């Protein structure tokens, strides 16, 4: 999927329309649910293109469900991490690039924000299903693949390719909640919303634990064009928006060599998340994609939670 391109000469909305859009975004900034520390969006769609290759990602934040309905698995080894309260939150992410597609489900504790489980399904040249069940001091990881010579999409018939208990390396932040890369999008928004300059997070990738520092830069303008859905009404936002660049700076913990580059929504390298200073919306996620250089994945559609627009 190729990103939507709007030439610089495209007409901007009328003054009245821009005023209405600004009102929606200001209302989002003041929304009680966002001020309480949780993101105010239900779904975010991003699109990236370098002119000849296109990719898209969608993040959907689902309403918390009771623990018994969450579908968390039991690890073969170790004691599974449990939520402090009775509910479990979930982020459903999808990725599409060329002939490859994938889905990533992330279950987390709404109280501590710690990740409880992830399940990633990749379909394409190398189909696989990875499940990470998080423990108190490590991760139980399983990888399933189709049987040799088959292309069935029924994961129930796939074979276990690898299963292992991965202990965390010793680090000074023992006991702090562990996140996954996709959860950094909301943490970056919270950093900007709180007016802070930096924060540190523990982040587990596929097999390794990182300390990730988020660092916010001064605000600058970004020319944006995306659809904003608020209280059932959809509008086009097409204007220059003030945004802070939040650098994502990972540092591998422990003494092991890095097995693969730290990535966020398939982007690696010099990672950054651009947050609208007025609304808290993530407007852009930027990094290196497929070694073709720096590629910005821009927001193309944002759906807000009910009541977030006043």
């Amino acid at each position: 999927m190729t990103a939507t391109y709007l030439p610089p000469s495209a007409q901007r909305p009328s003054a009245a329309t821009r005023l209405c859009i600004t009102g929606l975004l200001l209302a989002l900034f003041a929304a009680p649910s966002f001020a309480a520390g949780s993101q105010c969006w239900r779904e975010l769609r991003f699109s990236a293109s370098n002119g000849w290759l296109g990719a898209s990602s969608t993040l959907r934040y689902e309403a918390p469900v009771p623990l018994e309905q969450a579908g968390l698995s039991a690890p073969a080894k170790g004691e599974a991490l449990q939520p402090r309260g009775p509910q479990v939150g979930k982020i459903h992410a999808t990725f599409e690039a060329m002939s490859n597609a994938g889905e990533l489900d992330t279950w987390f504790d709404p109280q501590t924000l710690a990740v409880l489980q992830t399940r990633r399904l990749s379909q394409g040249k190398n189909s696989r299903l990875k499940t990470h069940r998080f423990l108190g001091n490590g991760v139980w990881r399983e990888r399933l693949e189709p049987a040799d010579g088959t292309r069935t999409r029924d994961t129930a018939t796939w074979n276990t390719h690898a299963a292992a208990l991965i202990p965390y390396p010793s680090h000074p932040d023992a006991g702090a909640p562990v996140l996954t890369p996709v959860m950094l999008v909301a943490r970056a928004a919270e950093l900007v919303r709180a007016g802070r300059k930096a924060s540190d997070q523990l982040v587990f990738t596929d097999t390794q634990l990182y300390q990730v520092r988020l660092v916010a830069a001064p605000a600058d303008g970004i020319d944006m064009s995306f659809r904003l859905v608020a209280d059932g009404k959809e509008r086009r936002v097409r204007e220059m928006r003030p945004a802070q660049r939040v650098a994502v700076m990972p540092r591998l913990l422990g003494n092991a060599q890095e097995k693969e580059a730290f990535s966020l929504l398939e982007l690696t390298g010099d990672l950054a998340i651009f947050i609208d200073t007025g609304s808290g919306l993530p407007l852009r996620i930027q990094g290196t994609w497929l070694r073709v250089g720096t590629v910005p994945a821009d927001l193309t559609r944002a759906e807000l939670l009910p009541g977030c627009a006043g």
Side-chain angles (χ1 to χ4, degrees):
M1 179 176 176
T2 305
T4 302
Y5 175 73
L6 292 170
S9 60
Q11 279 192 335
R12 295 194 178 278
S14 66
T17 301
R18 293 200 304 271
L19 182 62
C20 184
I21 292 172
T22 301
L24 276 174
L25 293 171
L26 287 174
L28 169 59
F29 175 76
S33 61
F34 197 89
S38 61
Q39 79 282 342
C40 204
W41 55 81
R42 172 180 286 160
E43 183 177 278
L44 302 172
R45 296 181 187 176
F46 296 92
S47 185
S49 174
N50 71 342
W52 56 281
L53 289 176
S56 65
S57 300
T58 299
L59 303 180
R60 186 168 185 85
Y61 296 75
E62 301 182 0
V65 299
L67 173 60
E68 58 271 17
Q69 299 178 16
L72 300 179
S73 62
K77 294 182 180 180
E79 183 176 351
L81 191 64
Q82 301 295 335
R84 287 186 181 177
Q87 294 189 314
V88 174
K90 183 180 177 181
I91 305 171
H92 178 69
T94 61
F95 315 90
E96 294 183 14
M98 297 180 292
S99 60
N100 295 317
E103 298 181 13
L104 172 64
D105 287 318
T106 302
W107 292 264
F108 63 94
D109 183 344
Q111 292 191 19
T112 66
L113 302 181
V115 60
L116 302 172
Q117 177 175 288
T118 66
R119 183 170 291 144
R120 173 158 183 163
L121 175 63
S122 300
Q123 300 278 11
K125 184 178 180 180
N126 298 308
S127 296
R128 57 199 179 277
L129 174 64
K130 297 179 182 178
T131 300
H132 298 79
R133 186 63 173 98
F134 286 77
L135 317 173
N137 193 36
V139 179
W140 175 255
R141 178 184 183 271
E142 293 183 351
R143 172 171 171 156
L144 304 181
E145 295 182 356
D148 292 342
T150 66
R151 293 186 177 182
T152 176
R153 292 178 177 268
D154 182 7
T155 58
T157 65
W158 290 10
N159 297 329
T160 300
H161 180 266
L165 176 62
I166 305 174
Y168 293 147
S170 60
H171 58 89
D173 295 326
V178 175
L179 313 179
T180 60
V182 73
M183 300 173 74
L184 291 174
V185 176
R187 301 291 80 76
E190 290 180 3
L191 179 70
V192 170
R193 178 68 179 87
R196 300 170 57 194
K197 293 183 178 180
S199 69
D200 291 313
Q201 314 288 338
L202 290 176
V203 180
F204 191 82
T205 56
D206 183 27
T207 59
Q208 295 183 294
L209 184 67
Y210 290 78
Q211 183 182 62
V212 177
R213 168 153 287 200
L214 301 177
V215 180
D220 199 357
I222 299 182
D223 198 9
M224 294 298 303
S225 176
F226 62 92
R227 307 297 298 184
L228 178 67
V229 182
D231 292 334
K233 298 179 180 180
E234 184 169 323
R235 295 180 176 274
R236 168 70 69 181
V237 178
R238 187 182 299 169
E239 62 183 9
M240 186 74 70
R241 294 298 306 170
Q244 284 186 255
R245 181 185 188 274
V246 178
V248 179
M249 306 168 65
R251 179 175 66 86
L252 181 64
L253 296 176
N255 299 320
Q257 294 293 317
E258 188 174 50
K259 296 181 179 179
E260 60 182 30
F262 186 94
S263 65
L264 172 61
L265 297 181
E266 307 301 299
L267 298 172
T268 61
D270 187 13
L271 293 167
I273 305 169
F274 293 76
I275 304 297
D276 190 306
T277 58
S279 68
L281 277 174
L283 299 178
R284 174 179 294 169
I285 301 174
Q286 187 168 285
T288 301
W289 181 47
L290 297 178
R291 299 180 181 179
V292 297
T294 300
V295 177
D298 282 347
L299 182 69
T300 58
R301 186 178 184 274
E303 180 181 346
L304 309 185
L305 290 169
C308 275

